[in-house]
Amino acid sequence: MTEGVLEFKYEEEKTTQGLTALAGLPVYLDLARVLGLSESVQKYVRVREGTQGYTDGQMITALMLLNLAGGDCVDDLRVLEADDGFCRVFRRVELQGMKRRERRALERRWRKERRRAVPSPSAAFRYLSAFHDEAQESGRQAGKAFIPCPNEPLRGLAQVNRDLAAWVQSRSPSETATLDLDATLVSTGKQEALYSYKGFKAYQPLNVYWAEQELLLFTEFRDGNVPAGFEIQRVLQEALEFLPQGVKQVRVRTDTAGYQHELLRYCESEEPRRFGRMEFAVGCDVTPAFKQAVAEVEESAWRPLTGAKSGREWAEVCFVPNAAGHSKKGPAYRYLATREVLRQAELPGLGVEPSLPFPTMTWNTRRYKVFGLVSNMDWDGEELISWLYGRCGKSEAAHSVMKEDMAGGKLPSGDFGVNAAWWWIMILALNLNAAMKRLALGGSWVSKRMKAVRFALINLAGRVLERSRTLIIRLSGGHPSFEILLAARRKIAAMATEPSG
């Protein structure tokens, strides 16, 4: 009986031959070693402070590599372990640079001979459970937003990310940090998950994205029922503490979740802090009072947005909300509005205007989609609007990568802390890949999505050989990625010896 329709069939190798489908993945081990990832994990996470089993560095590195290789659940560690060639490299490089005493101490962490290169799914689950604090669950109240306090290992993962961002900054300095605050819904079928504002069960992490470095600077994992704007000022303040040295100016962008006058005053204030006054552009609520102010704008004051194919226009709006008008000494902000003609004709005979998921207004019988923003910046209005909308092309694209290209879209447990740790480890993998693209690959690689990086760089067929105590990863002759891998490794090796800054 034939195996399939076409004339080919599958057979298993009788013995392990050092074959790998991940010939490009070890380059990430190069970069992780240079930036001191394992040392940072061992310093801050400290779940495995005993003398048995996988170390924190081994466990976190394995789960990060799982993200980079395309795995999206803990059970996919079986597939990573089945890659004989990659596992040979992984086992060898974790010992590189260790003294004999350190290697023997690592070997003694197993009562029996260690047979696996990466942890088993069950070992990974047991490890992730250390990030969950069951005592925090008693603080939940029905119908109220609640954010469990992270335990020490979870805070440790945040510190590892802080070190990663500082290392990237030391190699590619930026004096400006544009911080995009944005939440994203991660749908799930877990029984313990809570319903989001969209009517399905989800978690809703609030993320702070550093646009210039294309890094996820900070994240706070949250239940699905926690509003995006809940305690957003505190999250911003925590994120500011994670900005490395060399940053002199901070700008903040967010949608209407950040339209809170306490947050705006905090950004505008000159209170003693490292960055002083922070510029911002924030989407504002289109309230009846704001609509009235927009309606009073002269028709001649509306100007077309350059390059807007939809005919969108913008104008300055004279508007002082009640929350900001109680004091003459209060800060004065700029309000701008954009409008766009609704192209879809209304159905005759309805009698009432249909409900739409965005605010609208009517001018001279024509219905427009209307949005507003508030800012303390003196940029040209069109430039300011374009800059705020740039948030959608950066942080929201990163959300897509987190949930679709990485493992952030498939949470492993019903326990909040386990999922929070899984999310943080995904962030570390995301940022490691961002560092690889920016610092080691460069050029057109910087804008490539993760799936393109996997296709051209990571998921490469190869064979792992050993010659004179040196491992060799052999690719097929003439493969276009061969020179790319060599060039990336040379750049990484140079970064290991060059001074920072």
Side-chain angles (χ1 to χ4, degrees):
M1 183 176 178
T2 59
E3 186 178 283
V5 176
L6 301 178
E7 294 184 1
F8 66 88
K9 62 180 182 178
Y10 291 98
E11 290 184 352
E12 283 187 328
E13 287 279 0
K14 303 302 181 183
T15 58
T16 57
Q17 299 290 325
L19 296 174
T20 179
L22 301 167
L25 192 56
V27 179
Y28 287 85
L29 293 173
D30 258 342
L31 184 60
R33 175 63 63 89
V34 169
L35 63 84
L37 178 70
S38 184
E39 291 82 356
S40 183
V41 170
Q42 294 296 127
K43 178 180 178 181
Y44 292 116
V45 179
R46 298 197 298 272
V47 170
R48 291 293 178 85
E49 293 189 285
T51 58
Q52 289 188 351
Y54 292 94
T55 65
D56 292 303
Q58 290 172 319
M59 189 69 72
I60 298 298
T61 301
L63 291 174
M64 289 175 62
L65 293 172
L66 181 69
N67 272 269
L68 294 167
D72 64 358
C73 63
V74 176
D75 204 52
D76 284 339
L77 286 168
R78 302 180 193 276
V79 179
L80 205 58
E81 177 66 27
D83 193 300
D84 179 68
F86 171 74
C87 288
R88 288 179 65 180
V89 177
F90 193 41
R91 289 284 295 267
R92 175 69 67 87
V93 300
E94 71 180 12
L95 299 176
Q96 184 173 334
M98 286 187 177
K99 298 178 181 178
R100 181 180 297 179
R101 175 175 54 83
E102 294 171 328
R103 290 199 299 268
R104 289 180 175 177
L106 186 63
E107 292 168 359
R108 286 196 297 269
R109 294 182 70 90
W110 281 267
R111 289 191 292 262
K112 299 180 180 180
E113 182 183 359
R114 177 184 171 191
R115 298 181 181 276
R116 300 182 61 91
V118 299
S120 66
S122 59
F125 268 120
R126 289 194 298 271
Y127 180 79
L128 290 171
S129 66
F131 294 86
H132 178 67
D133 186 356
E134 189 63 33
Q136 287 287 316
E137 299 302 306
S138 61
R140 298 188 184 278
Q141 298 182 33
K144 291 188 176 182
F146 173 72
I147 302 173
C149 182
N151 61 11
E152 193 65 30
L154 266 181
R155 289 194 292 270
L157 289 176
Q159 292 297 325
V160 174
N161 193 59
R162 181 180 187 173
D163 282 359
L164 196 160
W167 186 86
V168 172
Q169 169 74 356
S170 71
R171 263 59 188 181
S172 178
S174 174
E175 294 187 354
T176 301
T178 299
L179 302 183
D180 296 329
L181 282 75
D182 205 2
T184 185
L185 287 172
V186 182
S187 63
T188 180
K190 304 297 182 185
Q191 183 177 356
E192 296 84 352
L194 302 177
Y195 283 95
S196 68
Y197 71 95
K198 288 195 172 182
F200 55 81
K201 285 190 172 184
Y203 292 91
Q204 188 171 198
L206 178 58
N207 305 303
V208 183
Y209 182 79
W210 184 359
E212 285 77 12
Q213 296 288 14
E214 298 188 327
L215 295 175
L216 217 299
L217 180 67
F218 185 77
T219 186
E220 182 173 81
F221 196 76
R222 299 175 165 197
D223 287 312
N225 70 328
V226 178
F230 185 70
E231 297 186 1
I232 192 171
Q233 180 178 326
R234 174 185 57 78
V235 173
L236 174 61
Q237 290 172 310
E238 291 186 22
L240 291 174
E241 295 298 320
F242 280 66
L243 281 172
Q245 295 298 318
V247 176
K248 298 179 180 179
Q249 182 180 34
V250 175
R251 295 183 176 127
V252 178
R253 297 186 295 196
T254 181
D255 57 16
T256 55
Y259 185 54
Q260 302 175 18
H261 290 281
E262 295 82 2
L263 175 63
L264 304 186
R265 283 193 291 268
Y266 172 75
C267 292
E268 176 67 19
S269 68
E270 295 281 358
E271 66 179 62
R273 61 185 174 207
R274 186 168 140 211
F275 306 106
R277 176 180 178 270
M278 296 183 291
E279 296 179 326
F280 65 81
V282 175
C284 71
D285 295 331
V286 182
T287 61
F290 184 75
K291 284 185 176 182
Q292 182 178 350
V294 173
E296 294 172 357
V297 174
E298 296 288 339
E299 189 64 27
S300 59
W302 290 98
R303 285 164 278 184
L305 280 170
T306 304
K309 298 180 181 179
S310 59
R312 194 165 35 173
E313 300 172 310
W314 71 276
E316 299 270 359
V317 180
C318 182
F319 179 64
V320 180
N322 289 334
H326 297 305
S327 172
K328 293 182 179 180
K329 297 182 180 179
Y333 306 132
R334 289 176 68 192
Y335 281 83
L336 289 81
T338 65
R339 68 179 187 180
E340 179 183 341
V341 177
L342 291 179
R343 302 298 179 185
Q344 182 177 354
E346 296 180 11
L347 298 177
L350 288 178
V352 295
E353 292 183 343
S355 176
L356 296 171
F358 47 78
T360 63
M361 292 179 64
T362 301
W363 279 272
N364 300 323
T365 71
R366 302 186 74 181
R367 200 174 181 195
Y368 290 80
K369 178 167 58 175
V370 178
F371 289 103
L373 70 90
V374 59
S375 178
N376 64 348
M377 302 167 67
D378 60 0
W379 291 8
D380 173 76
E382 183 170 342
E383 182 183 5
L384 184 59
I385 293 168
S386 177
W387 181 74
L388 176 61
Y389 287 170
R391 177 189 63 85
C392 300
K394 292 287 187 177
S395 63
E396 293 186 11
H399 289 165
S400 177
V401 173
M402 292 181 219
K403 296 186 289 185
E404 297 176 16
D405 296 4
M406 297 287 191
K410 193 173 181 181
L411 300 171
S413 174
D415 290 338
F416 182 90
V418 172
N419 292 334
W422 182 260
W423 183 261
W424 258 119
I425 293 168
M426 177 276 299
I427 295 296
L428 292 174
L430 179 82
N431 285 341
L432 183 64
N433 183 60
M436 175 67 75
K437 293 192 297 180
R438 176 175 290 273
L439 301 177
L441 297 172
S444 63
W445 287 91
V446 175
S447 60
K448 286 185 183 293
R449 281 281 294 252
M450 191 69 223
K451 62 180 181 180
V453 175
R454 287 196 186 107
F455 179 76
L457 188 75
I458 296 177
N459 297 342
L460 305 178
R463 186 184 296 276
V464 178
L465 311 170
E466 185 168 2
R467 183 184 301 159
S468 301
R469 298 184 179 181
T470 300
L471 287 181
I472 300 171
I473 304 174
R474 181 171 292 171
L475 273 61
S476 61
H479 198 289
S481 297
F482 180 72
E483 292 297 333
I484 296 172
L485 288 169
L486 294 186
R489 295 201 73 199
R490 285 193 289 266
K491 286 186 179 180
I492 293 169
M495 286 186 283
T497 56
E498 68 184 17
S500 61

